[in-house]
């Protein structure tokens, strides 16, 4: 699986939530299928994710700047949640 291609496909065809506050909300509503966090995400973000039970987590092997770029944005994204993968196979990371 090509992570970058799968992420872009999920963003285009599914529902992906970007940013700490939005991700925190979908986690609280138990809507997140998978959470992706940048290696340099702030401790506060990691604490929110770690507090959730049985939440599949994937650590992106890059910075929040790189994760933002992979999402097609020109700003930093430290965390995102996949709510609906659409036509992407990104949820296969849950089993990795």
């Amino acid at each position: 699986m090509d992570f970058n291609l799968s992420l872009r496909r999920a963003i285009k065809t599914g529902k992906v939530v970007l940013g700490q506050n939005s991700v925190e909300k979908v986690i609280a509503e138990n809507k997140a299928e998978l959470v992706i966090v940048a290696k340099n995400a702030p401790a506060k973000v990691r604490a929110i994710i770690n507090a959730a039970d049985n939440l599949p987590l994937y650590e992106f092997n890059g910075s929040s700047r790189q994760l933002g770029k992979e999402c097609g944005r020109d700003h930093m994204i430290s965390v995102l949640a996949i709510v609906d993968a659409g036509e992407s196979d990104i949820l296969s990371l849950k089993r990795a």
Side-chain angles (χ1 to χ4, degrees):
M1 179 194 87
D2 179 349
F3 174 80
N4 300 339
L5 179 63
S6 295
L7 178 59
R8 281 188 232 116
R9 185 171 288 138
I11 291 170
K12 187 174 182 179
T13 65
K15 182 174 181 190
V16 178
V17 176
L18 307 173
Q20 178 183 334
N21 294 334
S22 299
V23 169
E24 188 174 358
K25 183 178 176 187
V26 297
I27 288 172
E29 295 171 350
N30 289 325
K31 292 182 179 177
E33 293 285 328
L34 174 68
V35 173
I36 299 172
V37 62
K39 267 197 183 286
N40 67 337
K44 182 179 178 184
V45 171
R46 291 187 180 276
I48 292 165
I49 295 166
N50 291 335
D53 292 331
N54 298 324
L55 182 64
L57 175 67
Y58 176 78
E59 186 167 314
F60 176 69
N61 192 20
S63 69
S64 54
R65 173 75 59 202
Q66 291 168 315
L67 185 55
K69 212 176 239 189
E70 294 305 327
C71 292
R73 306 294 175 100
D74 60 353
H75 54 84
M76 295 185 288
I77 296 175
S78 59
V79 64
L80 62 91
I82 308 294
V83 175
D84 175 17
E87 298 173 11
S88 174
D89 62 347
I90 199 154
L91 292 181
S92 66
L93 292 173
K94 286 173 31 173
R95 295 177 281 284

